[in-house]
Amino acid sequence: MSFRRRSVPRDIDDMEDTRPLFSEEANGLVDESVVVGEPEVIRSDQDVESDKCNLVAGWNTSHQEKKAFLSILTVGFAFMLVFTAFNTNGIIMQVVIKSIQAEDPNFSGSGYISLAVIYAVFASFNWLAPSCLSYLGPKLTMIAGGITYIIFVAGFLWPQTVILYLTSVLVGAGAALIWTGQGNYLTLMSTQKTISRNSGIFWAMLQSSMLFGNLFVFYQFMGKEIIDQHTRTIVFIALTVVGAIGVGILFTLPKPGADGSGRADDGLGSPFNALKKSFALFKTRDMLLLSATFFYTGIELSFFSGVYSACLSATLRFPDPKRLVGLSGMFIGTGEILGGGVFGIFGSKTVKFGRDPIVLLGYLVHMLCFFLIFLNLPTMSPLQNTRDPSFLANGHPSEVVAMLCSFMLGFGDACFNTQIYSILGSVYEDNSGPAFALFKFTQSLSAAACFFYSSVFELYWHLAILVAFATVGTLTFCAVEWKAHRHLKAKPDTPFD
């Protein structure tokens, strides 16, 4: 057998001599500091310091978000108490005033006219609210508005026609202040990622007022045809105290900015500049389209907060119609809380698919609700006590259907309002004060119109108007939302998770 020598590369002399390494391995003398695999990365002091800064910045951001969320919860709790007083008062107002007139023929006040005055002044003063906001800031603006709510509710302890209408003017101006301040504060305490969640949670807490206040009224009014003076005094003292506690909580709110978390104020400038911004914003295409949606929310707000409860109270074919007033308010509140809570908890998920599916859901719920109301209640019920038959079996209205409609009114309202808050806080995050003022201007203007025609229109006319404006408002909202969603998706740094 012969062996052939294998060829060796010519550059073998240039190869590194590895014998010493093998020798050291054999003798266990390998340097343990040598790492086989990835080369050692030498980090400079500057890199280490940068990592520390990023860690601290991340912790600060998380801490600030928690502080901002706590502020949102505080605002929600304060508004829950203030509007436990006011919303409960609004739902029982017409029933209470009829009872006052039965005892005192000289009292000529009207609940519908009072609410119409409130919303007419509310609409007008919204043009001045951004100017007040630029001077006072969101916290003091909310406090000033909240005080007027307490005065209005307390006025029912001394039922006089003059007091009723004067306090209606006062609370109309205060409503413009408290809602403009709230919208600005919510926006400053939110980001693109948290605005839907914060809007939903605030709305759920706010609408809890419908549940607690009406539960109290339900037991106080049970079995009573006329609400006597003693019962009225107990109810309105309790509501005044609850509202005052809510305003007191507003004093504890931190100012938006670095220390209180959230962003600093929008910088509206002087009161005159704030007014100019409002007029300029109102003329834009998107705001004009959204105004149709705002207008619908005002009509349906006035319907469920005043007209629907009066219809139930005046439908004498119910076994105990006065009892249904408080019960209806509780079911409306339950629908509002469920809607706001669901859209708040899942806000970060639903915003990825847009706000329009939720508004479309609210539209469908309201359409079904209006049809059931048409079947269940007589057309003369907003104007007078009536024993007219319904379209249901044997002509008798159903309490179950009536309460189901109350729940659907509340749930549909939550669908619309939470998404309006979300789109305003997102699209107009740098101009939130005027944007929310214009929202409340249009909403309160339509609510005032509804309360004015409520004293002459039958129920079926109410329902026809609601159906028409719901359809238009839903379409215009979707048009603006589709544009805003395309704009956000076009931004490479927009987080959708």
Side-chain angles (χ1 to χ4, degrees):
M1 181 182 293
S2 63
F3 295 91
R4 180 175 295 180
R5 183 178 179 183
R6 298 181 62 186
S7 61
V8 179
R10 292 183 179 180
D11 58 349
I12 191 164
D13 294 330
D14 297 330
M15 295 177 62
E16 182 179 342
D17 187 359
T18 59
R19 284 176 297 177
L21 175 61
F22 295 152
S23 176
E24 289 173 0
E25 287 184 37
N27 295 319
L29 299 176
V30 179
D31 187 356
E32 295 180 354
S33 65
V34 177
V35 179
V36 179
E38 295 184 359
E40 181 182 3
V41 178
I42 301 175
R43 297 174 57 85
S44 67
D45 293 340
Q46 185 177 0
D47 292 336
V48 174
E49 190 65 28
S50 176
D51 286 350
K52 289 182 179 179
C53 291
N54 291 335
L55 184 62
V56 172
W59 184 88
N60 286 337
T61 300
S62 176
H63 183 63
Q64 288 176 355
E65 287 181 354
K66 289 179 180 179
K67 290 179 67 176
F69 183 61
L70 179 61
S71 297
I72 296 296
L73 294 178
T74 304
V75 172
F77 185 63
F79 270 63
M80 181 191 74
L81 296 178
V82 171
F83 284 89
T84 291
F86 181 73
N87 286 342
T88 305
N89 178 74
I91 286 177
I92 68 175
M93 184 188 297
Q94 189 67 10
V95 177
V96 167
I97 285 178
K98 287 180 180 179
S99 300
I100 294 172
Q101 290 171 340
E103 297 177 1
D104 182 9
N106 294 324
F107 185 85
S108 58
S110 166
Y112 288 146
I113 298 300
S114 169
L115 289 169
V117 169
I118 289 172
Y119 284 101
V121 176
F122 185 6
S124 303
F125 205 79
N126 267 306
W127 290 102
L128 300 177
S131 300
C132 298
L133 177 66
S134 70
Y135 183 74
L136 297 174
K139 176 180 174 179
L140 291 179
T141 301
M142 287 188 288
I143 291 172
I147 291 172
T148 66
Y149 281 76
I150 301 171
I151 295 172
F152 176 75
V153 174
F156 280 84
L157 295 171
W158 301 275
Q160 300 291 328
T161 304
V162 174
I163 292 177
L164 174 64
Y165 291 138
L166 284 178
T167 54
S168 297
V169 173
L170 183 64
V171 79
L177 294 177
I178 196 171
W179 284 110
T180 301
Q182 181 273 334
N184 180 240
Y185 195 88
L186 177 71
T187 303
L188 294 175
M189 288 295 185
S190 303
T191 63
Q192 287 279 359
K193 184 178 179 180
T194 62
I195 184 66
S196 293
R197 180 202 67 185
N198 290 348
S199 299
I201 290 175
F202 168 81
W203 192 256
M205 296 183 71
L206 168 67
Q207 297 304 329
S208 299
S209 62
M210 302 288 289
L211 183 61
F212 301 131
N214 286 287
L215 181 63
F216 175 62
V217 168
F218 171 74
Y219 285 108
Q220 288 294 321
F221 286 9
M222 186 181 292
K224 295 184 178 182
E225 287 290 329
I226 298 294
I227 312 304
D228 58 88
Q229 183 178 3
H230 176 70
T231 302
R232 295 197 306 267
T233 301
I234 292 174
V235 168
F236 286 107
I237 286 178
L239 295 179
T240 301
V241 171
V242 169
I245 295 172
V247 173
I249 292 174
L250 290 176
F251 279 95
T252 67
L253 289 174
K255 182 180 178 181
D259 294 332
S261 74
R263 295 181 289 115
D265 205 349
D266 294 72
L268 291 174
S270 67
F272 181 69
N273 285 336
L275 182 61
K276 286 173 59 179
K277 282 187 176 182
S278 298
F279 279 109
L281 186 62
F282 189 62
K283 293 185 293 183
T284 61
R285 176 182 178 275
D286 286 351
M287 186 57 71
L288 288 174
L289 287 173
L290 286 174
S291 293
T293 315
F294 303 161
F295 199 88
Y296 170 65
T297 62
I299 294 175
E300 55 103 1
L301 166 67
S302 60
F303 180 77
F304 77 71
S305 65
V307 177
Y308 187 64
S309 60
C311 292
L312 296 176
S313 174
T315 303
L316 301 182
R317 284 180 177 250
F318 284 124
D320 189 356
K322 296 296 184 291
R323 178 179 65 92
L324 292 180
V325 174
L327 198 59
S328 170
M330 285 189 285
F331 275 94
I332 292 172
T334 303
E336 297 273 18
I337 294 166
L338 178 63
V342 169
F343 305 140
I345 294 171
F346 299 104
S348 60
K349 301 290 186 287
T350 58
V351 73
K352 292 189 293 185
F353 305 103
R355 304 171 184 90
D356 46 304
I358 296 174
V359 169
L360 287 170
L361 173 63
Y363 171 76
L364 294 175
V365 168
H366 272 179
M367 291 301 103
L368 177 59
C369 173
F370 299 150
F371 178 68
L372 291 176
I373 292 173
F374 170 79
L375 296 177
N376 196 42
L377 298 180
T379 188
M380 295 301 296
S381 54
L383 305 177
Q384 62 188 35
N385 290 339
T386 177
R387 291 187 177 275
D388 292 344
S390 72
F391 288 105
L392 299 182
N394 301 320
H396 288 289
S398 167
E399 291 184 335
V400 174
V401 172
M403 295 304 101
L404 174 63
C405 290
S406 297
F407 174 83
M408 295 170 74
L409 283 170
F411 184 82
D413 183 63
C415 292
F416 277 93
N417 278 278
T418 55
Q419 302 316 299
I420 287 173
Y421 271 80
S422 178
I423 198 171
L424 291 180
S426 175
V427 176
Y428 301 102
E429 61 178 337
D430 296 324
N431 214 11
S432 60
F436 278 94
L438 292 173
F439 164 42
K440 289 299 177 180
F441 161 73
T442 311
Q443 186 184 62
S444 54
L445 184 68
S446 61
C450 180
F451 281 121
F452 273 119
Y453 66 66
S454 293
S455 58
V456 294
F457 276 15
E458 298 176 6
L459 176 62
Y460 297 164
W461 281 106
H462 281 278
L463 297 176
I465 292 170
L466 286 164
V467 169
F469 278 100
T471 303
V472 174
T474 300
L475 291 174
T476 56
F477 182 93
C478 290
V480 177
E481 167 58 18
W482 294 336
K483 176 184 174 182
H485 197 60
R486 287 195 304 268
H487 179 69
L488 280 178
K489 289 183 72 175
K491 290 183 178 181
D493 58 342
T494 302
F496 282 94
D497 296 327

